[in-house]
Amino acid sequence: MGKTASIEVRKLAEGDLSWVLPMDEGSFLLAWKKETFLEELSGRLAHYYGLFEGSTPFAYGGFWLVAGEAQIMRLAVDPGRRGEKKGLFLVASLIEKARELGAKEVTLEVREHNLPARKTYEHLGFLSCGKRPHYYADSGEDAVFMRLLLTNM
């Protein structure tokens, strides 16, 4: 059996934007600008993490933690690494970080037609709680609101 590189999860810093920005552009129709990421990284409610295999980054994600609720704001996996269950590892890592910081629940919105992402969230225990009509400005697509309670885990 071959040796696999260990995965490191670490807090993002401004220097990480050199790889985060291109990954964001390759993942979203409406990519965030550098200024948006800088505001997020310096916000007292925001917690953003990068995932690395060796020294190579392959994903990032973050959440806001307010009154015990971790609201996942953004996450992306390197397009060349999709299909390797890296998204599952990313979301599981964010859940664990939120739990460590005292979150009692994790919430997120996901595009209604993004079935691979929804399946990943459901696999981790998220439940659909409703829809947010015409949530996404780029397409007018509905968002599915999902929630994971951490108190029973």
Side-chain angles (χ1 to χ4, degrees):
M1 191 152 103
K3 183 180 177 185
T4 57
S6 62
I7 297 175
E8 178 187 2
V9 180
R10 69 172 168 82
K11 198 142 179 82
L12 288 181
E14 184 175 344
D16 292 309
L17 295 182
S18 62
W19 62 268
V20 168
L21 288 168
M23 191 177 297
D24 198 72
E25 289 172 7
S27 300
F28 298 100
L29 293 174
L30 294 176
W32 281 3
K33 297 185 182 323
K34 182 177 182 179
E35 295 76 21
T36 303
F37 274 108
L38 289 172
E39 287 176 19
E40 287 292 298
L41 293 178
S42 65
R44 67 177 182 84
L45 303 175
H47 304 272
Y48 282 81
Y49 300 90
L51 274 59
F52 297 81
E53 226 166 21
S55 61
T56 305
F58 66 85
Y60 74 88
F63 56 87
W64 281 27
L65 183 59
V66 180
E69 178 189 331
Q71 167 76 33
I72 294 179
M73 303 301 291
R74 195 78 158 179
L75 52 87
V77 174
D78 181 332
R81 302 295 303 270
R82 293 184 185 151
E84 299 176 18
K85 299 197 184 289
K86 301 298 186 192
L88 182 69
F89 190 88
L90 172 60
V91 178
S93 298
L94 292 177
I95 291 167
E96 186 55 35
K97 291 296 184 183
R99 183 190 327 271
E100 290 171 8
L101 292 168
K104 302 293 184 230
E105 67 180 319
V106 180
T107 62
L108 57 83
E109 290 93 7
V110 59
R111 289 177 187 269
E112 184 174 28
H113 293 101
N114 188 346
L115 298 180
R118 288 176 59 188
K119 187 173 182 173
T120 294
Y121 304 140
E122 289 168 358
H123 178 78
L124 289 166
F126 282 85
L127 299 174
S128 296
C129 297
K131 288 187 183 178
R132 297 192 174 171
H134 315 293
Y135 183 79
Y136 294 98
D138 59 347
S139 65
E141 186 174 356
D142 293 349
V144 175
F145 179 72
M146 301 186 82
R147 180 178 183 209
L148 172 67
L149 293 178
L150 301 179
T151 53
N152 297 331
M153 299 181 85

